Amino acid sequence: MATEANQYAGPTVDGRIVKAFVDGVAETCGYFEERARRILARHGIEELQPGESYPLGAYIDAIHEVQRTTGPNTLNRIGRATPAALPWSHRVQTIEDAFVDLGRVFDRAHDGADVGSFEFQPDDHGGTLVADTPYPDAFEQGLIKGIGKHFGTNTGFIAIHESGRYRADGGDVREFDLTWWETRDDVKKISPPQEHARTGSPQSARAD
């Protein structure tokens, strides 16, 4: 159940997503699982149940506390753990399917107004993901990499080229130009869009 719910009236988030918070923090160190639960409890989320919904504001506050106290790497791991908890359609079988469907799945995992959105536009290289959500940048980066892990192969890679101001610097909407491939041989065949390679902040991540 969620306590102090009146403090966080408004949108809610599926309990399975909140459970991914615990899993992502625990991935850093087993000891951190209890710490993650204490952080959630401080923001009114206790007795975590996957079938319940919890105030989105409380969950976002807990995520920001992790960002302040442990840094972006832990937040990235929380994002990586999240795709396994999202309510994907059985029709989603590939990485591209997942990015195309991400906006709908994000809506299903949240309830209420002002929960944000994801929009994906495929292109010859992969596609552009536009993120307008209340979640921090490091979480979204981890979410993208987690989708590669969840729907890709053990040898799959996703390259992320970002544009737009970071939210910590007052930014709002973030754009991620994405390229993915299944094997190392494909890396030689696919190059990221040059305009974003010059202006964005490139990151390459193995999806494992």
Side-chain angles (χ1 to χ4, degrees), residues 5-190:
N6 291 336
Q7 179 183 349
Y8 292 101
T12 60
V13 59
D14 191 305
R16 290 171 292 184
I17 309 304
V18 183
K19 177 62 167 59
F21 174 97
V22 177
D23 295 340
V25 173
E27 187 179 308
T28 304
C29 174
Y31 161 78
F32 283 3
E33 179 174 351
E34 182 57 34
R35 180 179 179 181
R37 294 184 183 278
R38 289 199 302 269
I39 290 173
L40 290 171
R42 278 199 293 273
H43 296 282
I45 299 177
E46 298 179 293
E47 300 179 23
L48 189 60
Q49 299 293 332
E52 297 287 337
S53 292
Y54 298 88
L56 178 60
Y59 183 49
I60 295 297
D61 284 350
I63 283 178
H64 282 299
E65 180 173 338
V66 169
Q67 187 174 33
R68 289 193 307 271
T69 58
T70 65
N73 288 340
T74 302
L75 210 58
N76 191 279
R77 290 188 178 95
I78 295 171
R80 284 176 181 251
T82 298
L86 288 171
W88 301 100
S89 164
H90 69 277
R91 293 186 296 273
V92 176
Q93 299 292 323
T94 67
I95 293 174
E96 181 171 343
D97 290 345
F99 285 126
V100 168
D101 204 45
L102 181 58
R104 185 194 64 82
V105 173
F106 183 81
D107 285 343
R108 285 186 61 192
H110 299 77
D111 186 36
D114 301 323
V115 298
S117 64
F118 285 101
E119 295 182 6
F120 181 72
Q121 182 61 49
D123 60 30
D124 292 340
H125 296 282
T128 300
L129 181 68
V130 179
D132 182 8
T133 81
Y135 291 91
D137 301 294
F139 175 94
E140 291 176 344
Q141 293 160 1
L143 177 69
I144 291 168
K145 296 169 187 176
I147 287 173
K149 176 182 178 181
H150 194 64
F151 291 99
T153 67
N154 289 335
T155 56
F157 289 77
I158 291 184
I160 305 173
H161 299 268
E162 302 177 39
S163 61
R165 296 174 66 195
Y166 286 103
R167 291 187 177 87
D169 297 327
D172 187 8
V173 177
R174 296 284 294 165
E175 289 190 7
F176 301 92
D177 282 299
L178 309 178
T179 305
W180 58 84
W181 46 90
E182 298 297 334
T183 69
R184 288 184 180 274
D185 289 339
D186 289 335
V187 177
K188 302 173 184 176
K189 304 174 187 176
I190 305 175

